[in-house]
Amino acid sequence: MWLNKDIVSIGDFSKEEILEVLERSENMVSYAKTGHPEKPLRDKIVATLFFEPSTRTRLSFESAAMRMGAGILGFGALESTSVVKGETLIDTVRIVESYSDVIVIRHPMEGAARLASEFAQVPVINAGDGAGQHPTQTLLDLFTIKRELGKLDNICVGIMGDLKYGRTVHSLSKALSLFKIDLHLISPETLKMPKHILKDISTKIKVQEHEDLEEIVQDLDVLYVTRIQKERFPDPEEYKKVAGSYYLKTSHLQKAKKSLIIMHPLPRVDEIPVEIDNYPQARYFKQAAYGVPVRMAILDLILRGE
Ligand code: NCD
């Protein structure tokens, strides 16, 4: 199902295909520490082209590749590349495809991964395109919910933060609409979920919008928090108006279910205070760690179909 496929948008995949990744990821959890004993990707090379900053996504892809025995090449900063000489994205992709078996790309421009996938002969994985999509983050988010909560159906999920520019939540809400989910979107008025996404998911599941977490916190099984995407604001003054406008408080958690899980794609800025890190509900570091087994499964499925 996955062999040689591009992963550009989570919307390109069926529920069955998504569940297959989650199942394969389960098998990879123990190998994420020790490395896969058979090194099944030992003849493969994974290219990571990061035109935008990243810590978790790039390093967990590279760790996953190494745990599977693959070689890696690429860049995490543009200074050392011909991009600074004016080389186009398409030319860069055409070169790198001849050096590698799969290209993982992050770019500030929405649509960049789709464009790259149209030109590349090798599969392209979107590791974040501007305010567009971040499909592999969604796969690890779903994996976290399934593993930590034990199910993906009949749950109440709250997504709080910058829903306008946050690509992780664009992909996540689309994927959640494939399951039996009660979805609550919590954001300031100016950072609401884009209409086209809201329209799409509302035809499949029940979605409610809120401006205040207090209204709904007691019902949630999952609370997914995101930072305000400062770098995407066209006007810094607009950012200043919403900066610090919402954050999770310990008083919220007094009202929440004991079984609530708190997630965040990270990096966080000030929306979750560090004292919450010690609460049993906090799962964001575990979530980041699951990036490795999930990406091991993704690379294996794309490069070997297994
Ligand atoms: C996110 C991203 O880059 O979209 N981080 C990640 O990949 N884990 C979230 C963010 O930058 O806020």
Side-chain angles (χ1 to χ4, degrees):
M1 252 191 310
W2 284 86
L3 186 64
N4 288 324
K5 277 211 172 153
D6 300 310
I7 308 184
V8 174
S9 168
I10 200 74
D12 298 339
F13 297 93
S14 66
K15 184 170 171 179
E16 287 62 41
E17 286 169 316
I18 290 174
L19 290 176
E20 188 183 8
V21 174
L22 304 190
E23 203 181 301
R24 298 305 174 104
S25 304
E26 201 66 56
N27 306 335
M28 295 296 178
V29 171
S30 62
Y31 299 151
K33 282 264 165 281
T34 57
H36 195 299
E38 286 151 31
K39 301 281 177 274
L41 300 183
R42 61 189 168 279
D43 301 326
K44 306 291 184 186
I45 295 176
V46 177
T48 55
L49 309 187
F50 278 64
F51 294 82
E52 216 187 40
S54 168
T55 300
R56 275 151 294 275
T57 306
R58 184 168 66 90
L59 298 185
S60 64
F61 257 115
E62 294 186 355
S63 173
M66 288 190 263
R67 295 293 197 210
M68 296 297 280
I72 52 168
L73 53 80
F75 52 82
L78 301 185
E79 295 80 49
S80 58
T81 72
S82 284
V83 175
V84 291
K85 298 180 188 170
E87 185 156 64
T88 63
L89 172 64
I90 293 166
D91 280 2
T92 305
V93 163
R94 279 197 172 133
I95 300 308
V96 175
E97 71 174 13
S98 57
Y99 301 161
S100 63
D101 299 290
V102 58
I103 295 177
V104 181
I105 185 170
R106 168 171 289 189
H107 198 282
M109 197 179 77
E110 194 169 333
R114 181 77 67 195
L115 183 73
S117 74
E118 277 157 16
F119 284 88
Q121 304 297 315
V122 299
V124 168
I125 301 177
N126 181 6
D129 61 325
Q133 293 270 316
H134 195 346
T136 65
Q137 176 71 40
T138 292
L139 292 168
L140 81 89
D141 293 342
L142 295 177
F143 183 72
T144 306
I145 298 174
K146 186 153 183 267
R147 216 173 138 92
E148 297 298 309
L149 217 53
K151 56 181 177 180
L152 274 166
D153 282 305
N154 303 315
I155 54 171
C156 183
V157 179
I159 304 184
M160 177 167 86
D162 182 349
L163 311 184
K164 181 176 182 181
Y165 296 116
R167 55 196 175 200
T168 64
V169 296
H170 296 165
S171 293
L172 179 62
S173 48
K174 257 182 190 290
L176 289 174
S177 73
L178 299 173
F179 298 87
K180 290 194 190 78
I181 305 264
D182 223 349
L183 186 61
H184 296 271
L185 303 175
I186 308 132
S187 72
E189 174 66 27
T190 51
L191 296 180
K192 280 165 81 168
M193 184 65 79
K195 285 221 166 62
H196 70 278
I197 300 178
L198 191 61
K199 210 171 143 196
D200 175 41
I201 58 178
S202 304
T203 60
K204 300 177 191 132
I205 54 167
K206 187 169 166 218
V207 187
Q208 283 169 267
E209 292 183 290
H210 310 263
E211 279 191 41
D212 191 349
L213 177 62
E214 296 276 352
E215 289 169 23
I216 190 65
V217 66
Q218 66 282 356
D219 292 346
L220 301 178
D221 298 300
V222 177
L223 174 60
Y224 192 99
V225 187
T226 63
R227 75 180 169 99
I228 298 187
Q229 307 282 303
K230 185 178 180 184
E231 66 276 31
R232 312 254 178 257
F233 280 71
D235 177 356
E237 287 306 312
E238 288 302 309
Y239 169 70
K240 279 192 204 152
K241 282 187 199 159
V242 283
S245 61
Y246 62 87
Y247 50 94
L248 186 58
K249 298 180 206 150
T250 50
S251 61
H252 286 132
L253 297 182
Q254 278 153 15
K255 291 190 193 159
K257 291 185 185 174
K258 289 259 174 308
S259 57
L260 170 76
I261 61 167
I262 305 166
M263 297 171 64
H264 192 307
L266 303 178
R268 71 167 145 195
V269 184
D270 51 12
E271 56 286 345
I272 303 183
V274 288
E275 60 176 311
I276 290 182
D277 297 357
N278 299 321
Y279 278 57
Q281 290 103 326
R283 302 297 161 87
Y284 28 92
F285 292 115
K286 221 169 173 186
Q287 177 188 357
Y290 287 142
V292 176
V294 173
R295 290 179 168 123
M296 288 168 76
I298 291 170
L299 291 173
D300 207 22
L301 280 167
I302 287 200
L303 292 170
R304 291 198 312 141
E306 284 183 32

